[in-house]
Amino acid sequence: MVSERNLSKNVCVIGAGPSGLVAARELRKEGHNVVVLEQNHDVGGQWLYEPKVEHEDPLGRTNVQNVHSSIYASLRLISPREIMGFTDFPFVVKTGRDSRRFPGHRELLLYLKDFCEYFGLREMIRFNTKVEHVGMMNYPEFGKDLRWIVKSKEKESEMGVEEVFDAVVVATGHYSQPRLPNIKGMDAWRRKQMHSHIYRVPNPFQDEVVVVVGNSLSGQDIGMELVDVAKEIYLSAKSVDVSEGLSKVISKHNNLHLRPQIDSLHEDGRVLFEDGTSVVADTIIYCTGYSYSFPFLDTKGTVVVDDDRVGPLYEHTFPPSLAPSLSFIGIPRKLIGFPFFESQAKWIAQLLSGKRTLPSWDEMMQSIKEFYRSREVAGIPKHNTHDIANFEYCDKYADYIGFPHLEEWRKELCLSALRNADINLDTYRDSYDDSEMLQEAYQSSHFTHLGPEAF
């Protein structure tokens, strides 16, 4: 529902990564007063590479990570740059920078810095400021105004600040809190165990026998990177039925092996796999994904994280009892992130200004229950609740706020990259056959509307 009301709110955005930056822009565009609290010294969130991980818990078993970014030195994008830009700010090649279609992580950080400068967002951001507590001033009644107390601390001065906001947007990302498997003997295994959260470079694994747990993209990337330094690499996957691309890579390297899941770990260094084979390993690297974590947030149990299902959340964004004064941006995974974050940000901004309204509490809760039921029927585990992998959902979401649907070229370039990676895992970032769709992209308004002087 759309109305012409325009109520200016004082809004706190937590995090200055991609989702936090676009949230700040859309909130300000809608007339709100915005403060962005960012724990690091610069924008970028996950894309702000941090090489120093010496003091981080190797398995990330603490509730709060000292290092936010999980990016390793050699990481390159898994999607072509053309599909990743916000709708009105394309991710174009710039002189003197990484011009590859699948560039390294620093190129995306520079894009986010460009976005920040172009739209004048830095003035809203307080850097080196860690949020320690977000809580309700008074327990809400649905539909009544709710205010939030936000306590933060500045890194250098250690000075604590307590402020009151009309609304809070949580944009802290979802690739920082390691998710670990539960393996028999894991606590007794005396050799080196670490989560990929703190993997940065291959050098420390020289001449080692390494078991990489998890057949995710990061597990495959790290496995392929280790072949030149490690003695042996065992890639432990849930299924030995792997993609054509991974099979090709394994056949090229005598020291890269595929194994099923780990059955148990033993004090003498043995790693026993479910097929009965075993190896004596020096290091185990868990590439087993990440969990959602909001240690600063106190909603009196209204919002909980249950086996990586954050909820209840209406459309992955609003807890019905606290909406729209509390919202989450960037929760969904396995989608073309930047345009989706932008649509979330616009919806949040317009709901806070009164331009749009949400359905009733009952309708939102019913929608959430139906969504959960559909996931169960489809056999999708609870911890994959927010893995979307569906263009239609993105377009349905966009319809709530009159946001444009994903362009066909954006969808096709995404699918083309996924298909190519499935067949040519080690070369898909540098060898592709999508030139026709690429020309369509370059001729679209996404790339032409700002004119060459903007870039």
Side-chain angles (χ1 to χ4, degrees), residues 148-208:
W148 296 86
I149 298 172
V150 177
K151 296 177 183 176
S152 61
K153 187 173 280 187
E154 207 276 332
K155 244 182 210 172
E156 292 299 314
S157 67
E158 284 285 308
M159 193 175 76
V161 176
E162 185 174 308
E163 298 164 281
V164 175
F165 292 93
D166 299 311
V168 171
V169 179
V170 180
T172 50
H174 50 238
Y175 293 119
S176 287
Q177 183 67 47
R179 179 180 171 88
L180 293 168
N182 187 13
I183 299 173
K184 182 183 173 186
M186 194 170 165
D187 291 334
W189 206 71
R190 297 290 171 228
R191 302 194 179 190
K192 189 164 62 177
Q193 297 183 77
M194 59 183 278
H195 191 275
S196 58
H197 169 65
I198 65 163
Y199 176 88
R200 292 298 182 265
V201 292
N203 314 38
F205 307 95
Q206 185 77 41
D207 299 324
E208 287 192 356

Side-chain angles (χ1 to χ4, degrees), residues 72 179-183 194-196 210-224 226 233-242 246 250 256-262 271 273 283-290 425:
Y72 40 94
R179 179 180 171 88
L180 293 168
N182 187 13
I183 299 173
M194 59 183 278
H195 191 275
S196 58
V210 182
V211 175
V212 177
V213 180
N215 188 23
S216 62
L217 287 166
S218 61
Q220 293 172 5
D221 263 4
I222 290 170
M224 287 191 291
L226 289 172
I233 305 106
Y234 294 87
L235 191 58
S236 169
K238 281 183 181 175
S239 170
V240 290
D241 181 20
V242 297
L246 183 56
I250 291 169
L256 181 60
H257 317 278
L258 186 65
R259 290 290 184 271
Q261 288 192 106
I262 296 173
V271 178
F273 299 102
T283 299
I284 300 174
I285 303 175
Y286 295 99
C287 300
T288 46
Y290 296 87
L425 181 62

Side-chain angles (χ1 to χ4, degrees), residues 239-253:
S239 170
V240 290
D241 181 20
V242 297
S243 71
E244 181 184 339
L246 183 56
S247 294
K248 285 182 187 175
V249 170
I250 291 169
S251 68
K252 287 180 188 175
H253 301 282

Side-chain angles (χ1 to χ4, degrees), residues 84-154:
M84 292 194 67
F86 294 116
T87 59
D88 58 353
F89 198 75
F91 186 12
V92 296
V93 173
K94 291 199 169 184
T95 307
R97 299 212 314 219
D98 188 344
S99 62
R100 294 173 295 179
R101 289 190 60 209
F102 294 76
H105 56 83
R106 177 162 172 75
E107 182 69 7
L108 187 51
L109 175 64
L110 293 173
Y111 166 80
L112 291 170
K113 287 186 172 187
D114 291 343
F115 179 79
C116 194
E117 297 302 329
Y118 189 81
F119 293 103
L121 305 180
R122 276 188 184 272
E123 64 194 38
M124 293 187 276
I125 306 170
R126 287 190 217 148
F127 293 107
N128 295 310
T129 302
K130 192 174 183 66
V131 174
E132 299 197 318
H133 179 80
V134 174
M136 298 174 281
M137 273 192 76
N138 51 323
Y139 198 76
E141 293 177 46
F142 180 69
K144 296 283 180 71
D145 285 340
L146 171 64
R147 304 185 85 202
W148 296 86
I149 298 172
V150 177
K151 296 177 183 176
S152 61
K153 187 173 280 187
E154 207 276 332

Side-chain angles (χ1 to χ4, degrees), residues 221-346:
D221 263 4
I222 290 170
M224 287 191 291
E225 183 167 72
L226 289 172
V227 293
D228 295 326
V229 297
K231 183 180 177 183
E232 304 286 342
I233 305 106
Y234 294 87
L235 191 58
S236 169
K238 281 183 181 175
S239 170
V240 290
D241 181 20
V242 297
S243 71
E244 181 184 339
L246 183 56
S247 294
K248 285 182 187 175
V249 170
I250 291 169
S251 68
K252 287 180 188 175
H253 301 282
N254 293 329
N255 63 340
L256 181 60
H257 317 278
L258 186 65
R259 290 290 184 271
Q261 288 192 106
I262 296 173
D263 174 79
S264 55
L265 302 177
H266 299 265
E267 286 189 50
D268 61 358
R270 267 189 320 128
V271 178
L272 178 65
F273 299 102
E274 287 184 345
D275 64 355
T277 63
S278 67
V279 297
V280 175
D282 298 294
T283 299
I284 300 174
I285 303 175
Y286 295 99
C287 300
T288 46
Y290 296 87
S291 294
Y292 297 94
S293 178
F294 313 101
F296 54 84
L297 185 60
D298 178 11
T299 62
K300 309 297 182 196
T302 303
V303 180
V304 297
V305 181
D306 176 17
D307 190 18
D308 278 341
R309 173 182 283 175
V310 185
L313 291 184
Y314 178 61
E315 302 296 355
H316 308 273
T317 310
F318 299 103
S321 298
L322 307 175
S325 72
L326 178 66
S327 57
F328 295 80
I329 180 168
I331 293 280
R333 299 182 288 211
K334 295 193 177 178
L335 40 65
I336 303 177
F338 287 22
F340 189 84
F341 302 157
E342 191 178 350
S343 66
Q344 283 188 294
K346 283 183 183 291

